[in-house]
Amino acid sequence: MDEYFAPIHTYQVCNVMSPSQNNWLRTGWIPREGARRIYIEVKFTLRDCNSMPGVLGTCKETFNLYYFESDRAVGSTIRENQFIKIDTIAADESFTGVDLGVRRLKLNKEVRGVGPLSRRGFYLAFQDIGACIALTSVRVYYKRCVGVSRNLAVFTDVVTGADSSSLVEVRGQCVDHAEERDTPKMYCSAEGEWLVPIGRCVCSAGFEEHRDSCVACEVGFYKPVAGDGLCGKCPQHSHSETRAAVSCPCDSNYYRAADDPPAAPCSRPPSAPVNPISSVNGTSVNLEWDRPLDTGGRSDLQYSVQCLRCSGESPCEDCASSPAVVRFIPRQTGLTEPWVTVLNLAAHSNYSFRIVSSNAVSHLSNEPLQFSVVNITTNQAAPSEVMAVRQENTSQNSVTLMWHEPDQPNGVILEYDIKYYEKDHEDQTYSTLKSKNTSALVSGLKPGTKYIFQVRARTSAGCGRFSQNVEIQTGKAVPLRYNTMTILWICMGLVSGLVAFMAIIICRKRHCGYSKAFQDSDEEKMHYQNGHVSFPDARFYIDPHTYEDPCQAVHEFAREIEASRIKIEKIIGSGEFGEVCYGRMRLPGKRDIPVALKTLKAGYTEKQKRDFLAEASIMAQFDHPNVIRLEGVVTQSKPVMIITEYMENGSLDSFLRRHDGQFTVIQLVGLLRGIAAGMTYLSDLGYIHRDLAARNILVNSNLVCKVSDFGLSRVLEDDPDAAYTTSGGKIPIRWTAPEAITYRKFSSSSDVWSYGVVMWEVMSYGERPYWNLTNRDVIKSVEEGYRLPAPMGCPAALHTLMLDCWQKDRNERPRFCQIVTVLDKLIRNPENLKSMDTLCSLNSPPLMERAAPDFSSCNSVDDWLDTIKMGRYKEHFAAGGYHTLGHVVSMNQGDIQRLGVTLMGHQKKIMSSVQLMRAQVLNKSVPSVHV
Ligand code: ACK
């Protein structure tokens, strides 16, 4: 019976009484079956020798365990000494006779391992050397690590190593749809345990891990690469139609760029850019636009600009095909910001620009690229630089020069200016010479002297830049024999040289403080005559009243035109002396040109005729692109007429009112720049206008402003804005400087004051200066220091310039040439036009109070809109639910746009008014004056 009282069979021996026992029990042949180390578990019982009297000396309490390896069963042929001893086994438990009484044996269990085994099988043997022993069971086994799956790799069953401390390295195989990351390995210990897992497998693309295996991604999901990640949902605008997708193809009309990761949503080309605007500045244009409404779901939006030049009926052609290279700043393609400046366009030409938007998938789509079109017409511009000036011939006293026409004449070249001076006397003086063609003979030079020559072209739009300096030395003098005639000539030369020198001194004194001797046409005061050299001389305008007979003056300056060459076509207005008409003038060998004709009405007095023609005499002396040009006069037949160039857009004040809010600030500054350039020219000639006002500026079809109205009596009679002063004179009070009103002290500085008022008129689109204040109140408030406030939307820099023009002390006011410089800087750096906060003047701080219209008298939205001359939007505001001013003050520009106010100028006007109102309503921080 075993310990559980189950009957068992045993092998037993108990020859404890007899000495020298050697009893063997051997197993049958046991095949090894791949085991390299075997374990033998022996269960046995052993009787305590002490419990048996009389056995001392012969009784043993151990037995020996042996093995023998063989490739086959050899049975009884093995001799005892061939067995290899595994161990002597003693019992942990032994029993005595008492135990037998309860027939219950105490079993011992001993396990021994042996290895490595190498033969196909083996035998075990037990040697009894005199113990009382019973073998109840012998279990022979080996160990293995049982197959497992770990880290997505399968490790199959493996037999343990040969000895007790060896580990067996086992490589795992990745499960289906998985791939090795690092070779998966584990070690099987001698005890049959898996140890130290190394490396792993990951699910392949299109599969994800689920309970130690890799399962396919469902439809609508994908996994692009092998890895630990799970399947992801297909990105926006893409799909997968089968399981185990590694990518999601794009829906139709959507694309993925080459660089886009599979996880990126599919995208499409952008829509066209919106709200393109252009501002033309001579022969360059700034184009700006807003981002496309649909960017196609991408952020790599880019723009390119196609330039087409269009003329007449022939199809527009690419700008690249024109000889002069059109330049794009910052570049023509690959623009990331929504603007570009295009330079070097031809003057007076039509251009069409396509602003194309694209992104990285545009080329994948069959649809054409989306674009917006901006059409522009360039303005007048001076010609480009004259090239390749060279000497053709040189003698002792003369040099013949030749040069090429400028690349971009920008109009018909009227003449070339040749400027030259002695190289070593650069700072003293220079001379000029004019030539109608591309060569000139410069004579009257000193022998053996180095001269510097420069050439520039002139068109009706003004002068181009001077060419590079060309240095030429005249031939060496042959010694002269001095006779009386020579000495006489030398004396005459010296006298005229002295006269010339004094003229230069006078001329320099009048010159604009900031400039050097060499200036552009506006500042230049050299006297010249076509085709031959002259000495420097200051050139002044000559008052026709200094002539005894002003009619003589008119014929000295202006050309007489035969009435038969004039065709009057329509009346366009009326002047003080008669109708103003539009007509055409035909000159021999030339095409008809449009002209304006000022007529002298029948029944005039001699004085009226004189005054009428005086204007022509004055105008005839002027030659500047920003001063109205006289074509001629008709005095030999009736009606007597003054013929001038025709200005398609009429006078500036009505032109601005017709186009209220339609121009960019840069365009308005362009207009002002032209007027200032014209006034620089006039003031340099010593001409004081006395009635500079927007109504006396004319505008042509290219938006070039020209100063006009040079009559002598007009300030007194002609001008509806002129009023009698206490001193009896008739003066346009709102435009006139205080010293001119009070003391009749007219000067170029008082013209500058008027120019400031013109600036205000321009920036407010033809608003009446000082609104409905009476002339008396205007004089009074100006005297008290009140100055016109910045018009709505007027940049601070411009209002500051106005305030400078309105300095009480006329010496503190800027000169016209300085005004041109300031405006040019603003045009070049338009960001300076963005601020609406008044800056301090550079000259002197404006003492003037800043004032603004007071809206407190406005009772309703309609009242307010009328006040700011935006009454046309009453219905828009009502429809948008803006019924009270309380609603209006909280509006922003977006709200105004949404109401349907599309013109930028109107948006700005309304917005500035809202801001002003807000300031007045909220904190009363803007001082106001009732006007
Ligand atoms: O504002 P307007 O159309 O422009 O009306 C006045 C009108 O004649 C009376 O002076 C127009 N005017 C004057 N001179 C010219 C000109 N040279 N070209 C075109 N219009 C002119 C002015």
Side-chain angles (χ1 to χ4, degrees):
M1 303 287 269
D2 65 11
E3 65 253 59
Y4 305 109
F5 301 104
I8 51 171
H9 297 259
T10 64
Y11 292 95
Q12 58 185 43
V13 63
C14 195
N15 298 334
V16 291
M17 307 293 279
S18 317
S20 307
Q21 292 293 309
N22 184 18
N23 309 307
W24 286 78
L25 174 68
R26 175 178 59 76
T27 65
W29 187 75
I30 306 169
R32 182 162 64 90
E33 290 182 353
R36 301 176 64 203
R37 180 177 184 77
I38 53 159
Y39 295 89
I40 305 117
E41 180 198 272
V42 185
K43 288 186 180 166
F44 62 96
T45 60
L46 190 101
R47 177 143 183 196
D48 187 353
C49 285
N50 292 330
S51 66
M52 295 179 286
V55 297
L56 201 63
T58 53
C59 179
K60 299 285 186 304
E61 290 186 348
T62 60
F63 64 92
N64 296 321
L65 177 65
Y66 293 87
Y67 77 105
F68 173 78
E69 280 192 276
S70 65
D71 288 327
R72 57 193 169 83
V74 287
S76 53
T77 60
I78 318 164
R79 279 172 277 115
E80 286 163 8
N81 60 4
Q82 287 181 294
F83 282 98
I84 300 165
K85 185 172 175 180
I86 297 172
D87 203 2
T88 297
I89 298 176
D92 292 332
E93 304 274 354
S94 54
F95 61 89
T96 60
V98 181
D99 304 315
L100 287 174
V102 293
R103 303 189 67 80
R104 182 165 168 256
L105 297 178
K106 285 188 177 163
L107 269 181
N108 291 292
K109 186 168 86 178
E110 294 292 329
V111 178
R112 297 290 181 272
V114 61
L117 301 184
S118 53
R119 299 282 172 89
R120 290 182 54 231
F122 57 90
Y123 292 92
L124 293 176
F126 304 86
Q127 181 193 26
D128 166 53
I129 49 170
C132 189
I133 185 171
L135 267 181
T136 62
S137 84
V138 176
R139 191 161 70 94
V140 182
Y141 60 92
Y142 61 89
K143 292 185 181 177
R144 27 172 222 169
C145 292
V146 181
V148 286
S149 176
R150 183 100 32 106
N151 292 343
L152 292 177
V154 177
F155 296 85
T156 49
D157 280 8
V158 67
V159 175
T160 58
D163 62 63
S164 57
S165 60
S166 70
L167 296 176
V168 179
E169 182 186 297
V170 183
R171 280 194 62 159
Q173 294 299 321
C174 291
V175 299
D176 285 350
H177 308 297
E179 51 200 65
E180 280 185 7
R181 257 306 125 83
D182 292 313
T183 307
K185 277 194 274 182
M186 278 208 289
Y187 292 90
C188 178
S189 74
E191 292 308 310
E193 282 168 338
W194 290 107
L195 300 176
V196 203
I198 300 172
R200 63 195 185 118
C201 297
V202 290
C203 289
S204 305
F207 291 83
E208 66 184 352
E209 187 175 344
H210 183 71
R211 291 191 191 147
D212 287 336
S213 64
C214 292
V215 296
C217 300
E218 294 299 330
V219 172
F221 288 77
Y222 77 111
K223 191 177 139 190
V225 287
D228 293 330
L230 298 177
C231 298
K233 204 166 166 13
C234 281
Q236 218 185 355
H237 306 302
S238 70
H239 60 280
S240 70
E241 282 164 357
T242 54
R243 298 180 73 226
V246 295
S247 66
C248 296
C250 291
D251 298 346
S252 69
N253 294 330
Y254 283 88
Y255 312 91
R256 220 175 249 130
D259 293 345
D260 285 353
C266 293
S267 50
R268 57 183 176 182
S271 58
V274 293
N275 303 330
I277 52 168
S278 61
S279 66
V280 177
N281 180 11
T283 54
S284 60
V285 59
N286 289 320
L287 302 175
E288 285 180 42
W289 56 90
D290 287 339
R291 287 164 65 83
L293 297 177
D294 176 8
T295 57
R298 305 187 64 87
S299 56
D300 52 2
L301 189 62
Q302 287 200 341
Y303 310 97
S304 58
V305 177
Q306 291 171 7
C307 170
L308 297 171
R309 187 175 171 185
C310 307
S311 54
E313 272 110 53
S314 51
C316 298
E317 55 179 35
D318 197 310
C319 297
S321 56
S322 68
V325 184
V326 172
R327 282 181 57 212
F328 294 81
I329 292 175
R331 66 190 80 82
Q332 186 175 8
T333 55
L335 294 163
T336 48
E337 295 297 320
W339 63 269
V340 71
T341 301
V342 190
L343 306 176
N344 288 358
L345 298 170
H348 300 299
S349 301
N350 295 328
Y351 284 90
S352 182
F353 293 96
R354 287 179 174 185
I355 303 158
V356 184
S357 55
S358 65
N359 59 22
V361 298
S362 292
H363 66 285
L364 302 171
S365 163
N366 294 329
E367 297 293 315
L369 294 176
Q370 300 291 304
F371 59 83
S372 291
V373 176
V374 186
N375 294 322
I376 62 135
T377 303
T378 48
N379 292 336
Q380 66 171 6
S384 63
E385 199 176 309
V386 167
M387 306 305 280
V389 179
R390 61 197 185 279
Q391 78 190 79
E392 192 64 13
N393 242 321
T394 310
S395 74
Q396 283 176 22
N397 303 103
S398 66
V399 169
T400 307
L401 295 172
M402 295 197 76
W403 55 87
H404 292 319
E405 248 203 14
D407 279 351
Q408 283 183 287
N410 294 334
V412 177
I413 294 183
L414 302 175
E415 59 193 0
Y416 292 94
D417 295 342
I418 301 102
K419 181 168 94 175
Y420 61 97
Y421 51 89
E422 277 182 51
K423 188 183 177 200
D424 301 331
H425 296 99
E426 181 178 350
D427 53 338
Q428 287 181 11
T429 179
Y430 64 81
S431 302
T432 59
L433 168 69
K434 304 248 169 207
S435 171
K436 294 268 179 218
N437 47 43
T438 55
S439 67
L441 169 68
V442 186
S443 53
L445 305 178
K446 289 189 203 160
T449 309
K450 282 183 187 157
Y451 283 89
I452 300 292
F453 294 88
Q454 285 179 291
V455 183
R456 69 179 176 188
R458 190 168 73 82
T459 64
S460 63
C463 295
R465 283 156 61 105
F466 271 114
S467 62
Q468 305 271 318
N469 287 355
V470 175
E471 183 182 318
I472 301 171
Q473 182 162 12
T474 49
K476 291 263 180 339
V478 181
L480 276 178
R481 285 222 322 253
Y482 293 101
N483 55 22
T484 327
M485 267 317 276
T486 321
I487 292 167
L488 197 64
W489 277 112
I490 292 172
C491 289
M492 282 173 64
L494 282 174
V495 169
S496 48
L498 193 65
V499 170
F501 180 72
M502 290 181 67
I504 295 165
I505 301 296
I506 295 166
C507 163
R508 285 271 191 91
K509 277 200 164 161
R510 290 189 34 75
H511 208 277
C512 227
Y514 70 97
S515 57
K516 267 188 54 151
F518 304 135
Q519 290 291 325
D520 278 351
S521 61
D522 295 346
E523 287 89 33
E524 186 181 299
K525 300 172 196 71
M526 297 296 129
H527 186 58
Y528 53 75
Q529 288 172 314
N530 282 357
H532 60 85
V533 191
S534 67
F535 285 104
D537 185 11
R539 187 172 172 230
F540 290 105
Y541 130 88
I542 298 161
D543 184 340
H545 277 144
T546 58
Y547 282 67
E548 247 174 52
D549 176 7
C551 289
Q552 185 204 337
V554 82
H555 286 116
E556 189 158 335
F557 295 115
R559 67 174 159 180
E560 177 72 26
I561 288 175
E562 265 178 58
S564 61
R565 300 198 173 281
I566 307 294
K567 198 168 141 231
I568 299 180
E569 293 194 349
K570 63 175 178 194
I571 297 176
I572 52 176
S574 62
E576 194 217 338
F577 297 99
E579 270 85 42
V580 182
C581 305
Y582 163 77
R584 299 192 77 83
M585 180 174 79
R586 192 171 21 85
L587 290 176
K590 293 199 175 150
R591 281 200 299 181
D592 280 1
I593 57 163
V595 285
L597 306 156
K598 275 192 175 181
T599 60
L600 179 60
K601 60 180 172 256
Y604 54 82
T605 63
E606 260 322 287
K607 179 173 181 312
Q608 281 173 321
K609 182 180 174 187
R610 273 206 307 275
D611 287 346
F612 177 71
L613 289 176
E615 177 171 22
S617 309
I618 296 167
M619 228 190 291
Q621 298 178 52
F622 302 146
D623 178 16
H624 189 274
N626 297 104
V627 177
I628 194 82
R629 191 180 65 249
L630 181 78
E631 297 291 353
V633 290
V634 177
T635 60
Q636 306 302 322
S637 61
K638 296 205 175 144
V640 173
M641 288 189 279
I642 297 175
I643 304 160
T644 65
E645 65 180 309
Y646 179 64
M647 301 290 285
E648 294 82 350
N649 279 312
S651 51
L652 178 59
D653 60 338
S654 49
F655 170 72
L656 288 169
R657 282 181 214 121
R658 282 199 304 278
H659 296 281
D660 191 2
Q662 292 176 7
F663 298 119
T664 61
V665 171
I666 288 282
Q667 281 175 310
L668 296 178
V669 176
L671 301 179
L672 290 172
R673 197 260 177 215
I675 302 167
M679 286 308 296
T680 305
Y681 172 80
L682 294 176
S683 62
D684 281 353
L685 288 180
Y687 180 79
I688 300 162
H689 193 288
R690 296 170 184 232
D691 195 9
L692 183 57
R695 64 182 167 277
N696 290 329
I697 305 292
L698 291 168
V699 187
N700 74 8
S701 56
N702 291 321
L703 303 194
V704 177
C705 285
K706 306 203 181 198
V707 181
S708 82
D709 209 358
F710 303 104
L712 284 179
S713 63
R714 81 218 183 282
V715 174
L716 302 175
E717 315 295 341
D718 190 14
D719 194 332
D721 268 308
Y724 288 101
T725 60
T726 44
S727 55
K730 211 179 171 199
I731 281 175
I733 300 293
R734 283 154 213 272
W735 283 264
T736 306
E739 76 275 5
I741 297 174
T742 319
Y743 312 113
R744 321 211 92 232
K745 181 79 202 130
F746 286 96
S747 61
S748 287
S749 300
S750 63
D751 276 352
V752 166
W753 178 290
S754 312
Y755 178 82
V757 182
V758 173
M759 284 185 77
W760 191 91
E761 292 184 273
V762 168
M763 298 315 295
S764 60
Y765 284 95
E767 180 67 86
R768 183 168 169 74
Y770 309 92
W771 304 275
N772 52 357
L773 245 68
T774 62
N775 279 341
R776 181 193 295 266
D777 287 345
V778 170
I779 296 172
K780 202 161 158 268
S781 56
V782 168
E783 266 311 310
E784 284 170 7
Y786 170 76
R787 297 293 183 267
L788 283 165
M792 285 165 195
C794 171
L798 292 176
H799 188 234
T800 303
L801 187 55
M802 293 178 206
L803 293 175
D804 285 345
C805 294
W806 301 327
Q807 293 276 4
K808 189 176 175 63
D809 179 353
R810 64 195 169 108
N811 297 315
E812 294 282 302
R813 296 172 203 156
R815 295 190 192 180
F816 279 114
C817 57
Q818 290 173 314
I819 294 175
V820 171
T821 309
V822 170
L823 295 179
D824 279 344
K825 280 189 185 148
L826 290 174
I827 290 168
R828 277 198 297 276
N829 303 305
E831 66 278 9
N832 293 340
L833 289 168
K834 290 201 173 123
S835 163
M836 299 290 160
D837 295 325
T838 302
L839 309 163
C840 281
S841 154
L842 292 178
N843 284 342
S844 61
L847 322 156
M848 297 69 179
E849 182 187 1
R850 197 164 172 233
D854 188 351
F855 298 109
S856 58
S857 58
C858 298
N859 293 324
S860 65
V861 176
D862 286 4
D863 269 5
W864 163 67
L865 287 169
D866 284 335
T867 306
I868 61 167
K869 296 213 159 39
M870 293 282 107
R872 73 188 74 176
Y873 295 114
K874 284 178 188 170
E875 283 179 7
H876 295 66
F877 275 75
Y882 292 95
H883 299 297
T884 66
L885 290 172
H887 281 121
V888 168
V889 286
S890 57
M891 288 180 91
N892 60 28
Q893 188 144 2
D895 298 332
I896 296 168
Q897 264 172 10
R898 276 189 288 282
L899 289 185
V901 181
T902 50
L903 284 175
M904 203 52 155
H906 289 183
Q907 285 176 12
K908 277 194 188 152
K909 198 165 184 175
I910 296 171
M911 196 55 223
S912 346
S913 170
V914 168
Q915 282 166 349
L916 205 54
M917 223 175 359
R918 203 178 293 152
Q920 287 179 349
V921 169
L922 294 180
N923 55 19
K924 298 270 179 210
S925 66
V926 181
S928 65
V929 165
H930 256 284
V931 285

